[in-house]
Amino acid sequence: MSDAAYYQQLAARIAYCRDLGIFDFYRRGEPAAAVEVAPPVAEPITLAAIQEQVEIQEQAIPPRKTLPAQPAVGGVVAPAKRPAALVAIREEIGDCTRCALSQGRNKIVFGDGDPNARLMFVGEGPGADEDAQGLPFVGRAGQLLNNMISAMGLKREQVYIANIVKCRPPQNRVPEPEEAHTCSQFLFQQIDVVRPEVLVALGSTAATYLMGAKSPLTALRGRVHELRGSKLIVTYHPAFLLRDPRQKKEAWKDLQIAMAELGLK
Ligand code: SF4
């Protein structure tokens, strides 16, 4: 990556953190000496400021806690066998035509990330970029999700990401109930294999089909639900946050609940 691209990416990350109300950054290699680099009121980020190499400190994700004694459907898959178990689910899906969404898709978007992740994000469905690349959350909303993950002190490779439906709905419409119910059987299999300690539902569609009931997002946010042995936190979809950035602070509150459940600072 070129220096310019690096600083641009860093600037985007710092801007996102400021949107969230995070103003404390730390110099790498001096973890004990916190250096406040920004006043409470966001100022334009200068290249010079960035070139001071102020970086958000990446957090090492703490070890997996003992999961509650609530067996996953189909039993617990040993950590070493999880990658192969996910491959088996992908093979079972095959060149799927189980629902109408197969007709317009380019690529099935199965899921991405660490098969042993402690944290899993679930979105609604692929968009145009995801449909083209076959990976979840790689467009603009995906960039924002990456920033959200970074703000939590994690790397994208440390989490697992999937959607309710694995094929792009036409014009990015909300999946029909039949499509969501047909496809989510595979998502639940993925959840049972990964067995994350914390699931984060991104948006109302994800929350609805994970929980099996439709409720207003405002009624679901701000508390911890239980799902298949995992803690479930509900927050806004990154695509919604792109349309209404004022809600980023609310989303950050939700992510802080997830962080507390994971023991992250
Ligand atoms: S959305 Fe899911 S169930 Fe429908 S065709 Fe795609 S993979 Fe199959």
Side-chain angles (χ1 to χ4, degrees), residues 95-120:
D95 192 18
C96 186
T97 55
R98 292 172 179 84
C99 85
L101 294 181
S102 63
Q103 293 165 14
R105 71 151 186 259
N106 283 305
K107 289 187 176 170
I108 290 176
V109 180
F110 176 67
D112 184 36
D114 181 358
N116 289 298
R118 295 179 59 209
L119 174 62
M120 179 168 174

mmCIF file with all atom_site columns, all heavy atoms in Angstrom, residues 95-120:
data_model
loop_
_atom_site.group_PDB
_atom_site.id
_atom_site.type_symbol
_atom_site.label_atom_id
_atom_site.label_alt_id
_atom_site.label_comp_id
_atom_site.label_asym_id
_atom_site.label_entity_id
_atom_site.label_seq_id
_atom_site.pdbx_PDB_ins_code
_atom_site.Cartn_x
_atom_site.Cartn_y
_atom_site.Cartn_z
_atom_site.occupancy
_atom_site.B_iso_or_equiv
_atom_site.pdbx_formal_charge
_atom_site.auth_seq_id
_atom_site.auth_comp_id
_atom_site.auth_asym_id
_atom_site.auth_atom_id
_atom_site.pdbx_PDB_model_num
ATOM 1   N N   . ASP A 1 95  ? -24.819 -25.007 -6.124  1.00 0.00 ? 95  ASP A N   1
ATOM 2   C CA  . ASP A 1 95  ? -25.257 -23.950 -7.047  1.00 0.00 ? 95  ASP A CA  1
ATOM 3   C C   . ASP A 1 95  ? -26.755 -23.747 -6.801  1.00 0.00 ? 95  ASP A C   1
ATOM 4   O O   . ASP A 1 95  ? -27.593 -24.070 -7.645  1.00 0.00 ? 95  ASP A O   1
ATOM 5   C CB  . ASP A 1 95  ? -24.972 -24.371 -8.489  1.00 0.00 ? 95  ASP A CB  1
ATOM 6   C CG  . ASP A 1 95  ? -25.122 -23.214 -9.458  1.00 0.00 ? 95  ASP A CG  1
ATOM 7   O OD1 . ASP A 1 95  ? -25.107 -22.057 -9.005  1.00 0.00 ? 95  ASP A OD1 1
ATOM 8   O OD2 . ASP A 1 95  ? -25.266 -23.477 -10.664 1.00 0.00 ? 95  ASP A OD2 1
ATOM 9   N N   . CYS A 1 96  ? -27.050 -23.198 -5.654  1.00 0.00 ? 96  CYS A N   1
ATOM 10  C CA  . CYS A 1 96  ? -28.397 -23.251 -5.080  1.00 0.00 ? 96  CYS A CA  1
ATOM 11  C C   . CYS A 1 96  ? -29.473 -22.565 -5.932  1.00 0.00 ? 96  CYS A C   1
ATOM 12  O O   . CYS A 1 96  ? -29.275 -21.454 -6.431  1.00 0.00 ? 96  CYS A O   1
ATOM 13  C CB  . CYS A 1 96  ? -28.356 -22.599 -3.700  1.00 0.00 ? 96  CYS A CB  1
ATOM 14  S SG  . CYS A 1 96  ? -29.891 -22.741 -2.792  1.00 0.00 ? 96  CYS A SG  1
ATOM 15  N N   . THR A 1 97  ? -30.600 -23.274 -6.065  1.00 0.00 ? 97  THR A N   1
ATOM 16  C CA  . THR A 1 97  ? -31.783 -22.677 -6.707  1.00 0.00 ? 97  THR A CA  1
ATOM 17  C C   . THR A 1 97  ? -33.003 -22.874 -5.803  1.00 0.00 ? 97  THR A C   1
ATOM 18  O O   . THR A 1 97  ? -34.121 -23.003 -6.281  1.00 0.00 ? 97  THR A O   1
ATOM 19  C CB  . THR A 1 97  ? -32.047 -23.323 -8.082  1.00 0.00 ? 97  THR A CB  1
ATOM 20  O OG1 . THR A 1 97  ? -32.163 -24.743 -7.904  1.00 0.00 ? 97  THR A OG1 1
ATOM 21  C CG2 . THR A 1 97  ? -30.939 -23.011 -9.068  1.00 0.00 ? 97  THR A CG2 1
ATOM 22  N N   . ARG A 1 98  ? -32.769 -22.894 -4.495  1.00 0.00 ? 98  ARG A N   1
ATOM 23  C CA  . ARG A 1 98  ? -33.860 -23.187 -3.565  1.00 0.00 ? 98  ARG A CA  1
ATOM 24  C C   . ARG A 1 98  ? -34.863 -22.049 -3.451  1.00 0.00 ? 98  ARG A C   1
ATOM 25  O O   . ARG A 1 98  ? -35.961 -22.248 -2.958  1.00 0.00 ? 98  ARG A O   1
ATOM 26  C CB  . ARG A 1 98  ? -33.291 -23.521 -2.184  1.00 0.00 ? 98  ARG A CB  1
ATOM 27  C CG  . ARG A 1 98  ? -32.510 -24.834 -2.138  1.00 0.00 ? 98  ARG A CG  1
ATOM 28  C CD  . ARG A 1 98  ? -31.825 -24.995 -0.779  1.00 0.00 ? 98  ARG A CD  1
ATOM 29  N NE  . ARG A 1 98  ? -31.086 -26.231 -0.636  1.00 0.00 ? 98  ARG A NE  1
ATOM 30  C CZ  . ARG A 1 98  ? -29.826 -26.425 -1.059  1.00 0.00 ? 98  ARG A CZ  1
ATOM 31  N NH1 . ARG A 1 98  ? -29.187 -25.448 -1.664  1.00 0.00 ? 98  ARG A NH1 1
ATOM 32  N NH2 . ARG A 1 98  ? -29.234 -27.586 -0.866  1.00 0.00 ? 98  ARG A NH2 1
ATOM 33  N N   . CYS A 1 99  ? -34.439 -20.835 -3.826  1.00 0.00 ? 99  CYS A N   1
ATOM 34  C CA  . CYS A 1 99  ? -35.397 -19.723 -3.790  1.00 0.00 ? 99  CYS A CA  1
ATOM 35  C C   . CYS A 1 99  ? -35.201 -18.833 -5.010  1.00 0.00 ? 99  CYS A C   1
ATOM 36  O O   . CYS A 1 99  ? -34.236 -18.995 -5.766  1.00 0.00 ? 99  CYS A O   1
ATOM 37  C CB  . CYS A 1 99  ? -35.292 -18.921 -2.482  1.00 0.00 ? 99  CYS A CB  1
ATOM 38  S SG  . CYS A 1 99  ? -34.027 -17.630 -2.490  1.00 0.00 ? 99  CYS A SG  1
ATOM 39  N N   . ALA A 1 100 ? -36.107 -17.877 -5.161  1.00 0.00 ? 100 ALA A N   1
ATOM 40  C CA  . ALA A 1 100 ? -36.133 -17.049 -6.372  1.00 0.00 ? 100 ALA A CA  1
ATOM 41  C C   . ALA A 1 100 ? -34.913 -16.151 -6.517  1.00 0.00 ? 100 ALA A C   1
ATOM 42  O O   . ALA A 1 100 ? -34.609 -15.684 -7.618  1.00 0.00 ? 100 ALA A O   1
ATOM 43  C CB  . ALA A 1 100 ? -37.394 -16.184 -6.363  1.00 0.00 ? 100 ALA A CB  1
ATOM 44  N N   . LEU A 1 101 ? -34.188 -15.926 -5.424  1.00 0.00 ? 101 LEU A N   1
ATOM 45  C CA  . LEU A 1 101 ? -33.027 -15.035 -5.513  1.00 0.00 ? 101 LEU A CA  1
ATOM 46  C C   . LEU A 1 101 ? -31.893 -15.628 -6.353  1.00 0.00 ? 101 LEU A C   1
ATOM 47  O O   . LEU A 1 101 ? -30.983 -14.916 -6.757  1.00 0.00 ? 101 LEU A O   1
ATOM 48  C CB  . LEU A 1 101 ? -32.506 -14.699 -4.105  1.00 0.00 ? 101 LEU A CB  1
ATOM 49  C CG  . LEU A 1 101 ? -33.456 -13.869 -3.233  1.00 0.00 ? 101 LEU A CG  1
ATOM 50  C CD1 . LEU A 1 101 ? -32.819 -13.572 -1.881  1.00 0.00 ? 101 LEU A CD1 1
ATOM 51  C CD2 . LEU A 1 101 ? -33.845 -12.569 -3.932  1.00 0.00 ? 101 LEU A CD2 1
ATOM 52  N N   . SER A 1 102 ? -31.987 -16.911 -6.635  1.00 0.00 ? 102 SER A N   1
ATOM 53  C CA  . SER A 1 102 ? -30.954 -17.540 -7.474  1.00 0.00 ? 102 SER A CA  1
ATOM 54  C C   . SER A 1 102 ? -30.977 -16.968 -8.891  1.00 0.00 ? 102 SER A C   1
ATOM 55  O O   . SER A 1 102 ? -29.966 -16.985 -9.591  1.00 0.00 ? 102 SER A O   1
ATOM 56  C CB  . SER A 1 102 ? -31.161 -19.050 -7.536  1.00 0.00 ? 102 SER A CB  1
ATOM 57  O OG  . SER A 1 102 ? -32.407 -19.348 -8.153  1.00 0.00 ? 102 SER A OG  1
ATOM 58  N N   . GLN A 1 103 ? -32.133 -16.436 -9.297  1.00 0.00 ? 103 GLN A N   1
ATOM 59  C CA  . GLN A 1 103 ? -32.304 -16.057 -10.706 1.00 0.00 ? 103 GLN A CA  1
ATOM 60  C C   . GLN A 1 103 ? -31.466 -14.843 -11.115 1.00 0.00 ? 103 GLN A C   1
ATOM 61  O O   . GLN A 1 103 ? -31.062 -14.738 -12.263 1.00 0.00 ? 103 GLN A O   1
ATOM 62  C CB  . GLN A 1 103 ? -33.783 -15.798 -10.994 1.00 0.00 ? 103 GLN A CB  1
ATOM 63  C CG  . GLN A 1 103 ? -34.600 -17.079 -10.897 1.00 0.00 ? 103 GLN A CG  1
ATOM 64  C CD  . GLN A 1 103 ? -36.091 -16.833 -10.818 1.00 0.00 ? 103 GLN A CD  1
ATOM 65  O OE1 . GLN A 1 103 ? -36.559 -15.722 -11.090 1.00 0.00 ? 103 GLN A OE1 1
ATOM 66  N NE2 . GLN A 1 103 ? -36.841 -17.850 -10.426 1.00 0.00 ? 103 GLN A NE2 1
ATOM 67  N N   . GLY A 1 104 ? -31.223 -13.924 -10.188 1.00 0.00 ? 104 GLY A N   1
ATOM 68  C CA  . GLY A 1 104 ? -30.510 -12.706 -10.583 1.00 0.00 ? 104 GLY A CA  1
ATOM 69  C C   . GLY A 1 104 ? -29.096 -12.608 -10.066 1.00 0.00 ? 104 GLY A C   1
ATOM 70  O O   . GLY A 1 104 ? -28.390 -11.642 -10.346 1.00 0.00 ? 104 GLY A O   1
ATOM 71  N N   . ARG A 1 105 ? -28.647 -13.598 -9.335  1.00 0.00 ? 105 ARG A N   1
ATOM 72  C CA  . ARG A 1 105 ? -27.328 -13.462 -8.698  1.00 0.00 ? 105 ARG A CA  1
ATOM 73  C C   . ARG A 1 105 ? -26.199 -13.793 -9.658  1.00 0.00 ? 105 ARG A C   1
ATOM 74  O O   . ARG A 1 105 ? -26.377 -14.519 -10.636 1.00 0.00 ? 105 ARG A O   1
ATOM 75  C CB  . ARG A 1 105 ? -27.243 -14.406 -7.496  1.00 0.00 ? 105 ARG A CB  1
ATOM 76  C CG  . ARG A 1 105 ? -27.151 -15.865 -7.928  1.00 0.00 ? 105 ARG A CG  1
ATOM 77  C CD  . ARG A 1 105 ? -26.404 -16.750 -6.957  1.00 0.00 ? 105 ARG A CD  1
ATOM 78  N NE  . ARG A 1 105 ? -26.253 -18.069 -7.513  1.00 0.00 ? 105 ARG A NE  1
ATOM 79  C CZ  . ARG A 1 105 ? -27.011 -19.110 -7.188  1.00 0.00 ? 105 ARG A CZ  1
ATOM 80  N NH1 . ARG A 1 105 ? -27.945 -19.021 -6.268  1.00 0.00 ? 105 ARG A NH1 1
ATOM 81  N NH2 . ARG A 1 105 ? -26.816 -20.283 -7.779  1.00 0.00 ? 105 ARG A NH2 1
ATOM 82  N N   . ASN A 1 106 ? -25.040 -13.215 -9.332  1.00 0.00 ? 106 ASN A N   1
ATOM 83  C CA  . ASN A 1 106 ? -23.804 -13.626 -9.996  1.00 0.00 ? 106 ASN A CA  1
ATOM 84  C C   . ASN A 1 106 ? -23.069 -14.649 -9.140  1.00 0.00 ? 106 ASN A C   1
ATOM 85  O O   . ASN A 1 106 ? -22.710 -15.708 -9.610  1.00 0.00 ? 106 ASN A O   1
ATOM 86  C CB  . ASN A 1 106 ? -22.907 -12.406 -10.250 1.00 0.00 ? 106 ASN A CB  1
ATOM 87  C CG  . ASN A 1 106 ? -23.409 -11.599 -11.428 1.00 0.00 ? 106 ASN A CG  1
ATOM 88  O OD1 . ASN A 1 106 ? -23.583 -12.134 -12.515 1.00 0.00 ? 106 ASN A OD1 1
ATOM 89  N ND2 . ASN A 1 106 ? -23.664 -10.326 -11.210 1.00 0.00 ? 106 ASN A ND2 1
ATOM 90  N N   . LYS A 1 107 ? -22.873 -14.289 -7.851  1.00 0.00 ? 107 LYS A N   1
ATOM 91  C CA  . LYS A 1 107 ? -22.145 -15.197 -6.963  1.00 0.00 ? 107 LYS A CA  1
ATOM 92  C C   . LYS A 1 107 ? -22.920 -15.391 -5.661  1.00 0.00 ? 107 LYS A C   1
ATOM 93  O O   . LYS A 1 107 ? -23.499 -14.439 -5.133  1.00 0.00 ? 107 LYS A O   1
ATOM 94  C CB  . LYS A 1 107 ? -20.758 -14.641 -6.639  1.00 0.00 ? 107 LYS A CB  1
ATOM 95  C CG  . LYS A 1 107 ? -19.806 -14.694 -7.827  1.00 0.00 ? 107 LYS A CG  1
ATOM 96  C CD  . LYS A 1 107 ? -18.402 -14.306 -7.413  1.00 0.00 ? 107 LYS A CD  1
ATOM 97  C CE  . LYS A 1 107 ? -17.469 -14.478 -8.613  1.00 0.00 ? 107 LYS A CE  1
ATOM 98  N NZ  . LYS A 1 107 ? -16.145 -13.904 -8.369  1.00 0.00 ? 107 LYS A NZ  1
ATOM 99  N N   . ILE A 1 108 ? -22.887 -16.592 -5.157  1.00 0.00 ? 108 ILE A N   1
ATOM 100 C CA  . ILE A 1 108 ? -23.408 -16.846 -3.815  1.00 0.00 ? 108 ILE A CA  1
ATOM 101 C C   . ILE A 1 108 ? -22.407 -16.263 -2.808  1.00 0.00 ? 108 ILE A C   1
ATOM 102 O O   . ILE A 1 108 ? -21.210 -16.496 -2.918  1.00 0.00 ? 108 ILE A O   1
ATOM 103 C CB  . ILE A 1 108 ? -23.597 -18.362 -3.581  1.00 0.00 ? 108 ILE A CB  1
ATOM 104 C CG1 . ILE A 1 108 ? -24.756 -18.877 -4.436  1.00 0.00 ? 108 ILE A CG1 1
ATOM 105 C CG2 . ILE A 1 108 ? -23.818 -18.653 -2.100  1.00 0.00 ? 108 ILE A CG2 1
ATOM 106 C CD1 . ILE A 1 108 ? -24.974 -20.376 -4.360  1.00 0.00 ? 108 ILE A CD1 1
ATOM 107 N N   . VAL A 1 109 ? -22.923 -15.501 -1.860  1.00 0.00 ? 109 VAL A N   1
ATOM 108 C CA  . VAL A 1 109 ? -22.070 -14.890 -0.836  1.00 0.00 ? 109 VAL A CA  1
ATOM 109 C C   . VAL A 1 109 ? -22.253 -15.695 0.450   1.00 0.00 ? 109 VAL A C   1
ATOM 110 O O   . VAL A 1 109 ? -23.198 -15.489 1.213   1.00 0.00 ? 109 VAL A O   1
ATOM 111 C CB  . VAL A 1 109 ? -22.436 -13.407 -0.636  1.00 0.00 ? 109 VAL A CB  1
ATOM 112 C CG1 . VAL A 1 109 ? -21.548 -12.779 0.429   1.00 0.00 ? 109 VAL A CG1 1
ATOM 113 C CG2 . VAL A 1 109 ? -22.300 -12.653 -1.954  1.00 0.00 ? 109 VAL A CG2 1
ATOM 114 N N   . PHE A 1 110 ? -21.345 -16.600 0.665   1.00 0.00 ? 110 PHE A N   1
ATOM 115 C CA  . PHE A 1 110 ? -21.512 -17.573 1.742   1.00 0.00 ? 110 PHE A CA  1
ATOM 116 C C   . PHE A 1 110 ? -21.261 -16.960 3.121   1.00 0.00 ? 110 PHE A C   1
ATOM 117 O O   . PHE A 1 110 ? -22.059 -17.077 4.044   1.00 0.00 ? 110 PHE A O   1
ATOM 118 C CB  . PHE A 1 110 ? -20.548 -18.746 1.513   1.00 0.00 ? 110 PHE A CB  1
ATOM 119 C CG  . PHE A 1 110 ? -20.559 -19.770 2.600   1.00 0.00 ? 110 PHE A CG  1
ATOM 120 C CD1 . PHE A 1 110 ? -21.676 -20.559 2.813   1.00 0.00 ? 110 PHE A CD1 1
ATOM 121 C CD2 . PHE A 1 110 ? -19.450 -19.955 3.422   1.00 0.00 ? 110 PHE A CD2 1
ATOM 122 C CE1 . PHE A 1 110 ? -21.694 -21.512 3.830   1.00 0.00 ? 110 PHE A CE1 1
ATOM 123 C CE2 . PHE A 1 110 ? -19.458 -20.904 4.438   1.00 0.00 ? 110 PHE A CE2 1
ATOM 124 C CZ  . PHE A 1 110 ? -20.588 -21.683 4.630   1.00 0.00 ? 110 PHE A CZ  1
ATOM 125 N N   . GLY A 1 111 ? -20.117 -16.320 3.266   1.00 0.00 ? 111 GLY A N   1
ATOM 126 C CA  . GLY A 1 111 ? -19.707 -15.803 4.570   1.00 0.00 ? 111 GLY A CA  1
ATOM 127 C C   . GLY A 1 111 ? -18.198 -15.704 4.555   1.00 0.00 ? 111 GLY A C   1
ATOM 128 O O   . GLY A 1 111 ? -17.531 -16.234 3.662   1.00 0.00 ? 111 GLY A O   1
ATOM 129 N N   . ASP A 1 112 ? -17.642 -15.028 5.532   1.00 0.00 ? 112 ASP A N   1
ATOM 130 C CA  . ASP A 1 112 ? -16.223 -14.724 5.487   1.00 0.00 ? 112 ASP A CA  1
ATOM 131 C C   . ASP A 1 112 ? -15.722 -14.510 6.911   1.00 0.00 ? 112 ASP A C   1
ATOM 132 O O   . ASP A 1 112 ? -16.432 -13.951 7.740   1.00 0.00 ? 112 ASP A O   1
ATOM 133 C CB  . ASP A 1 112 ? -16.023 -13.433 4.668   1.00 0.00 ? 112 ASP A CB  1
ATOM 134 C CG  . ASP A 1 112 ? -14.562 -13.089 4.477   1.00 0.00 ? 112 ASP A CG  1
ATOM 135 O OD1 . ASP A 1 112 ? -13.751 -14.019 4.332   1.00 0.00 ? 112 ASP A OD1 1
ATOM 136 O OD2 . ASP A 1 112 ? -14.238 -11.886 4.449   1.00 0.00 ? 112 ASP A OD2 1
ATOM 137 N N   . GLY A 1 113 ? -14.495 -14.960 7.167   1.00 0.00 ? 113 GLY A N   1
ATOM 138 C CA  . GLY A 1 113 ? -13.899 -14.654 8.464   1.00 0.00 ? 113 GLY A CA  1
ATOM 139 C C   . GLY A 1 113 ? -13.330 -15.867 9.154   1.00 0.00 ? 113 GLY A C   1
ATOM 140 O O   . GLY A 1 113 ? -13.135 -16.924 8.555   1.00 0.00 ? 113 GLY A O   1
ATOM 141 N N   . ASP A 1 114 ? -13.082 -15.685 10.454  1.00 0.00 ? 114 ASP A N   1
ATOM 142 C CA  . ASP A 1 114 ? -12.455 -16.707 11.277  1.00 0.00 ? 114 ASP A CA  1
ATOM 143 C C   . ASP A 1 114 ? -13.502 -17.752 11.701  1.00 0.00 ? 114 ASP A C   1
ATOM 144 O O   . ASP A 1 114 ? -14.479 -17.411 12.375  1.00 0.00 ? 114 ASP A O   1
ATOM 145 C CB  . ASP A 1 114 ? -11.866 -16.015 12.525  1.00 0.00 ? 114 ASP A CB  1
ATOM 146 C CG  . ASP A 1 114 ? -11.165 -16.982 13.451  1.00 0.00 ? 114 ASP A CG  1
ATOM 147 O OD1 . ASP A 1 114 ? -11.155 -18.198 13.161  1.00 0.00 ? 114 ASP A OD1 1
ATOM 148 O OD2 . ASP A 1 114 ? -10.643 -16.520 14.491  1.00 0.00 ? 114 ASP A OD2 1
ATOM 149 N N   . PRO A 1 115 ? -13.321 -19.002 11.329  1.00 0.00 ? 115 PRO A N   1
ATOM 150 C CA  . PRO A 1 115 ? -14.284 -20.044 11.727  1.00 0.00 ? 115 PRO A CA  1
ATOM 151 C C   . PRO A 1 115 ? -14.391 -20.208 13.246  1.00 0.00 ? 115 PRO A C   1
ATOM 152 O O   . PRO A 1 115 ? -15.354 -20.801 13.727  1.00 0.00 ? 115 PRO A O   1
ATOM 153 C CB  . PRO A 1 115 ? -13.713 -21.317 11.085  1.00 0.00 ? 115 PRO A CB  1
ATOM 154 C CG  . PRO A 1 115 ? -12.818 -20.835 9.988   1.00 0.00 ? 115 PRO A CG  1
ATOM 155 C CD  . PRO A 1 115 ? -12.257 -19.540 10.473  1.00 0.00 ? 115 PRO A CD  1
ATOM 156 N N   . ASN A 1 116 ? -13.389 -19.698 13.971  1.00 0.00 ? 116 ASN A N   1
ATOM 157 C CA  . ASN A 1 116 ? -13.437 -19.770 15.442  1.00 0.00 ? 116 ASN A CA  1
ATOM 158 C C   . ASN A 1 116 ? -13.667 -18.391 16.062  1.00 0.00 ? 116 ASN A C   1
ATOM 159 O O   . ASN A 1 116 ? -13.269 -18.150 17.202  1.00 0.00 ? 116 ASN A O   1
ATOM 160 C CB  . ASN A 1 116 ? -12.135 -20.371 15.971  1.00 0.00 ? 116 ASN A CB  1
ATOM 161 C CG  . ASN A 1 116 ? -12.030 -21.842 15.662  1.00 0.00 ? 116 ASN A CG  1
ATOM 162 O OD1 . ASN A 1 116 ? -12.848 -22.636 16.119  1.00 0.00 ? 116 ASN A OD1 1
ATOM 163 N ND2 . ASN A 1 116 ? -11.061 -22.215 14.843  1.00 0.00 ? 116 ASN A ND2 1
ATOM 164 N N   . ALA A 1 117 ? -14.285 -17.518 15.321  1.00 0.00 ? 117 ALA A N   1
ATOM 165 C CA  . ALA A 1 117 ? -14.467 -16.145 15.807  1.00 0.00 ? 117 ALA A CA  1
ATOM 166 C C   . ALA A 1 117 ? -15.328 -16.107 17.070  1.00 0.00 ? 117 ALA A C   1
ATOM 167 O O   . ALA A 1 117 ? -16.294 -16.859 17.201  1.00 0.00 ? 117 ALA A O   1
ATOM 168 C CB  . ALA A 1 117 ? -15.114 -15.297 14.717  1.00 0.00 ? 117 ALA A CB  1
ATOM 169 N N   . ARG A 1 118 ? -14.981 -15.198 17.955  1.00 0.00 ? 118 ARG A N   1
ATOM 170 C CA  . ARG A 1 118 ? -15.815 -14.983 19.144  1.00 0.00 ? 118 ARG A CA  1
ATOM 171 C C   . ARG A 1 118 ? -16.938 -14.006 18.846  1.00 0.00 ? 118 ARG A C   1
ATOM 172 O O   . ARG A 1 118 ? -17.879 -13.884 19.615  1.00 0.00 ? 118 ARG A O   1
ATOM 173 C CB  . ARG A 1 118 ? -14.952 -14.427 20.290  1.00 0.00 ? 118 ARG A CB  1
ATOM 174 C CG  . ARG A 1 118 ? -13.891 -15.394 20.766  1.00 0.00 ? 118 ARG A CG  1
ATOM 175 C CD  . ARG A 1 118 ? -13.074 -14.765 21.879  1.00 0.00 ? 118 ARG A CD  1
ATOM 176 N NE  . ARG A 1 118 ? -13.935 -14.412 22.991  1.00 0.00 ? 118 ARG A NE  1
ATOM 177 C CZ  . ARG A 1 118 ? -13.688 -13.405 23.839  1.00 0.00 ? 118 ARG A CZ  1
ATOM 178 N NH1 . ARG A 1 118 ? -12.610 -12.652 23.678  1.00 0.00 ? 118 ARG A NH1 1
ATOM 179 N NH2 . ARG A 1 118 ? -14.526 -13.134 24.818  1.00 0.00 ? 118 ARG A NH2 1
ATOM 180 N N   . LEU A 1 119 ? -16.783 -13.273 17.747  1.00 0.00 ? 119 LEU A N   1
ATOM 181 C CA  . LEU A 1 119 ? -17.762 -12.244 17.390  1.00 0.00 ? 119 LEU A CA  1
ATOM 182 C C   . LEU A 1 119 ? -18.211 -12.467 15.950  1.00 0.00 ? 119 LEU A C   1
ATOM 183 O O   . LEU A 1 119 ? -17.377 -12.645 15.063  1.00 0.00 ? 119 LEU A O   1
ATOM 184 C CB  . LEU A 1 119 ? -17.102 -10.865 17.527  1.00 0.00 ? 119 LEU A CB  1
ATOM 185 C CG  . LEU A 1 119 ? -17.890 -9.651  17.062  1.00 0.00 ? 119 LEU A CG  1
ATOM 186 C CD1 . LEU A 1 119 ? -19.177 -9.482  17.876  1.00 0.00 ? 119 LEU A CD1 1
ATOM 187 C CD2 . LEU A 1 119 ? -17.028 -8.385  17.180  1.00 0.00 ? 119 LEU A CD2 1
ATOM 188 N N   . MET A 1 120 ? -19.519 -12.458 15.735  1.00 0.00 ? 120 MET A N   1
ATOM 189 C CA  . MET A 1 120 ? -20.053 -12.685 14.385  1.00 0.00 ? 120 MET A CA  1
ATOM 190 C C   . MET A 1 120 ? -21.065 -11.590 14.070  1.00 0.00 ? 120 MET A C   1
ATOM 191 O O   . MET A 1 120 ? -21.898 -11.243 14.907  1.00 0.00 ? 120 MET A O   1
ATOM 192 C CB  . MET A 1 120 ? -20.729 -14.060 14.327  1.00 0.00 ? 120 MET A CB  1
ATOM 193 C CG  . MET A 1 120 ? -21.341 -14.406 12.982  1.00 0.00 ? 120 MET A CG  1
ATOM 194 S SD  . MET A 1 120 ? -21.790 -16.175 12.948  1.00 0.00 ? 120 MET A SD  1
ATOM 195 C CE  . MET A 1 120 ? -22.627 -16.272 11.375  1.00 0.00 ? 120 MET A CE  1
#
